[in-house]
Amino acid sequence: MEYYVGLDVSLKEISICVVDRDGKTVARGVCPADPEGVAGWFRNRELTPRRIVHESGMLSIWLQRGLAGLGLPATCIDARKAHKSLSARLNKSDAADAEGLAQLARTGWFTPVHIRSEEADRLRSLVGARERLIRLRKDLEGHIRGVLKTFGIRMIGIGQGRQRQAFRDQLAAAGEIDPDLRVIADAFIATHAKLCQVVDDLDKAVRKTAKAHPVARRLMTIPGVGPVNALSFIALVDDPGRFNRTSDVGAFLGLTPKRHQSGEMDWSGRVSKCGDGAVRGLLFEAASSVIHQVKRFSRLKSWAVRLAGRRGFRKAAVATARKIAVLMLTLWKNGTDYHWAKEATA
């Protein structure tokens, strides 16, 4: 007998529903929210499922890896698309959702979700930690500026030299004015110095990782692409074989126009902005760098500058970001470096 299973996952428990190939419910139950608990639940009932589905969520990556490691035929499906089917049911409960997922497993009417490898998650965590600490540093500096403006103290701009020591010097000088400000300044100076130090350490770790990664080194030959862009793209895509055509990566990153067609109506709008917003933002920054900052001539820069002259900077930057993403995936698949071209001379 063929059995199909739906798992409705929460932080503490997993609701399980098993149906046969005719859609009849065979078993229901609850187990602890871990792969061993799910496997033990099946062993106790001597059930061998043909397919197990669970929705994407906070625990889906860990759960999918654990179930696959135990030899269970688990598939993680898109929660947004599954919701459209589950919302048609009259009553909403964990047991009802598990039954609905089991029926989706039986019919095969679902969209699988790619589960990233552990290496990709490590790269993503490294880049994400760097970004979070930079945001914390900016938030701290903004808070200090706002507090001091209350007392009429306006701090001047700061640079990157000596880990933003000029900012801490100005804060120390402000603390000499008032004893209460001195207490605040001492605490913030120590915190700011520590944040600058750990950000610098993570910057070095990102550059070292990118330099040692063969794919990242290849991607960094593209104009405007640096260590953070390369590692973020690798961590997000994970497996270049996911895309049959390299041009599909533009839609995956939300860099292609939305389209609406109904009867005689057919229009294209702005870019969809689907997918990872952080990587899309990094690609936009890389495109901006190609248009405005990169001095060396290349076919990519020539194309981007001409497009900016015709359509404006923002549209050209989005188009260039999409082109950079396609180039990155192409080089990754082909195993080649970007070939810079010499500027034509008269």
Side-chain angles (χ1 to χ4, degrees):
M1 179 66 72
E2 295 179 351
Y3 297 110
Y4 302 89
V5 181
L7 306 180
D8 186 70
V9 183
S10 64
L11 291 177
K12 294 183 179 180
E13 294 181 336
I14 297 178
S15 294
I16 304 176
C17 181
V18 183
V19 300
D20 58 20
R21 61 184 177 184
D22 296 325
K24 183 179 179 181
T25 300
V26 176
R28 295 178 183 269
V30 177
C31 72
D34 62 76
E36 289 290 347
V38 176
W41 192 90
F42 289 131
R43 284 196 299 268
N44 293 337
R45 290 159 180 78
E46 298 182 351
L47 291 174
T48 304
R50 179 178 180 181
R51 184 183 296 135
I52 303 172
V53 302
H54 60 98
E55 296 176 281
S56 56
M58 292 183 292
L59 300 178
S60 58
I61 295 177
W62 167 73
L63 184 64
Q64 176 65 28
R65 290 173 181 165
L67 293 175
L70 294 172
L72 294 174
T75 302
C76 181
I77 68 175
D78 192 332
R80 293 172 300 177
K81 296 182 179 179
H83 173 72
K84 295 182 182 298
S85 298
L86 299 179
S87 61
R89 304 175 68 88
L90 182 61
N91 297 318
K92 173 72 171 68
S93 66
D94 293 344
D97 287 347
E99 181 181 355
L101 292 171
Q103 297 295 346
L104 291 178
R106 179 179 67 88
T107 60
W109 201 30
F110 57 81
T111 302
V113 173
H114 174 76
I115 300 298
R116 293 187 301 268
S117 64
E118 290 188 16
E119 180 186 2
D121 276 336
R122 291 190 183 96
L123 293 178
R124 192 178 181 87
S125 299
L126 176 62
V127 175
R130 172 187 173 274
E131 180 190 3
R132 176 56 57 183
L133 288 172
I134 290 175
R135 289 190 178 187
L136 288 174
R137 185 181 64 186
K138 289 182 178 180
D139 290 343
L140 178 63
E141 292 172 354
H143 175 73
I144 293 172
R145 289 178 183 275
V147 169
L148 294 182
K149 284 178 181 178
T150 306
F151 301 94
I153 302 172
R154 290 163 290 182
M155 303 181 73
I156 62 174
I158 54 177
Q160 297 289 339
R162 295 177 59 193
Q163 294 186 343
R164 307 170 86 89
Q165 182 63 44
F167 180 84
R168 295 191 289 275
D169 291 342
Q170 294 180 66
L171 182 56
E176 299 296 336
I177 301 174
D178 187 290
D180 292 332
L181 289 180
R182 185 68 214 177
V183 176
I184 299 174
D186 290 342
F188 280 160
I189 287 172
T191 304
H192 186 265
K194 185 62 177 179
L195 280 174
C196 289
Q197 181 60 51
V198 294
V199 168
D200 186 61
D201 292 342
L202 282 177
D203 270 332
K204 293 178 181 178
V206 167
R207 289 195 295 268
K208 182 179 179 181
T209 303
K211 186 176 180 180
H213 200 292
V215 178
R217 288 201 309 270
R218 187 177 305 124
L219 299 186
M220 286 190 293
T221 60
I222 300 173
V225 177
V228 176
N229 303 66
L231 292 180
S232 298
F233 185 82
I234 292 170
L236 179 64
V237 174
D238 188 27
D239 178 15
R242 296 167 58 191
F243 302 94
N244 294 327
R245 299 179 302 174
T246 54
S247 58
D248 292 340
V249 73
F252 173 71
L253 291 167
L255 291 169
T256 55
K258 293 185 291 186
R259 186 182 180 188
H260 178 78
Q261 185 181 41
S262 179
E264 297 180 355
M265 182 186 301
D266 189 358
W267 56 265
S268 296
R270 298 180 182 272
V271 292
S272 65
K273 294 187 178 180
C274 297
D276 193 287
V279 176
R280 186 168 57 252
L282 289 172
L283 289 171
F284 187 87
E285 291 179 8
S288 303
S289 175
V290 168
I291 296 173
H292 289 310
Q293 297 179 3
V294 176
K295 302 301 182 184
R296 186 178 175 185
F297 174 82
S298 65
R299 293 188 179 93
L300 177 62
K301 179 175 177 62
S302 177
W303 176 84
V305 170
R306 291 198 308 270
L307 184 61
R310 295 196 310 269
R311 304 299 301 275
F313 168 74
R314 291 189 62 84
K315 290 184 178 180
V318 171
T320 305
R322 181 169 61 247
K323 196 175 187 69
I324 289 175
V326 174
L327 272 173
M328 293 171 78
L329 186 61
T330 302
L331 297 188
W332 191 352
K333 281 190 170 186
N334 296 343
T336 57
D337 294 343
Y338 181 81
H339 296 293
W340 294 73
K342 295 182 178 180
E343 187 171 5
T345 58

